[in-house]
Amino acid sequence: PRQTPSSQQQLLAALSRAFRGLQEGGEVETILYKVHSTLCHQSVSSENVEHAVGACAMLASKLRERRLVEVILRAAIDRIQDFPARCLARVCWSAAALADADGAGALLPAATALARRRAAEFEADDVALLAWACATARPPASRQLLSSLLEQARLPSADTPEA
């Protein structure tokens, strides 16, 4: 993780600390519902949802509020069809990094299945993130995704300096 937390990580850490001070019940459930509703609202870009998932992955696990992370992951699952290729690759990386979160176990297969169908849209950097996610978390159909990416993604040819 970066030494300087992103604004999303700072916000997530602050929200997680605040959650620990709240009593269980309607107050917590209302906040979780509103976070999910906000992230699923059409006025919130899919990139912002991806940033929220990334903040969860980059924030130290001891600082994360489990319920808040699960709501963010659920919102990403609900919005997965909206993600452009770059965001999809980053979400896969984040889901693999969040292996201890229940929602990551649902997000990663959904995201990799979509990535396989959209393999031609990915650039080399995206393929690297997807390969790491597949190697780390081993979601179903990882081999098929990697094969599709090698066949269809926009990768530099072997004889170029970028390769």
Side-chain angles (χ1 to χ4, degrees):
R2 295 178 2 198
Q3 295 301 320
T4 306
S6 69
S7 56
Q8 292 90 353
Q9 286 172 286
Q10 291 172 351
L11 178 59
L12 182 62
L15 285 171
S16 293
R17 280 192 305 274
F19 259 76
R20 292 183 186 106
L22 296 174
Q23 291 189 1
E24 289 298 320
E27 197 171 53
V28 170
E29 294 305 316
T30 299
I31 293 169
L32 292 172
Y33 173 79
K34 288 189 183 266
V35 167
H36 183 267
S37 295
T38 299
L39 290 174
C40 288
H41 195 273
Q42 293 296 354
S43 67
V44 175
S45 72
S46 56
E47 288 84 1
N48 285 333
V49 177
E50 178 262 313
H51 290 171
V53 175
C56 293
M58 297 294 285
L59 192 63
S61 61
K62 66 182 180 206
L63 300 177
R64 287 186 231 134
E65 164 54 43
R66 181 192 56 78
R67 296 167 296 181
L68 188 55
V69 170
E70 295 298 336
V71 162
I72 292 168
L73 294 172
R74 200 169 355 150
I77 293 167
D78 292 346
R79 297 278 311 269
I80 199 74
Q81 296 294 327
D82 300 339
F83 286 26
R86 184 146 207 76
C87 288
L88 196 54
R90 290 178 181 169
V91 160
C92 287
W93 182 94
S94 297
L98 286 164
D100 61 333
D102 292 338
L107 176 57
L108 188 56
T112 55
L114 181 59
R116 183 174 176 213
R117 290 191 301 275
R118 295 173 46 195
E121 298 175 29
F122 292 97
E123 304 284 340
D125 291 346
D126 306 326
V127 172
L129 292 173
L130 290 164
W132 183 89
C134 287
T136 301
R138 311 266 179 178
S142 296
R143 289 179 190 266
Q144 293 88 339
L145 169 60
L146 293 173
S147 292
S148 295
L149 289 168
L150 288 173
E151 291 172 13
Q152 299 174 38
R154 289 177 261 163
L155 300 172
S157 61
D159 59 350
T160 62
E162 297 87 21

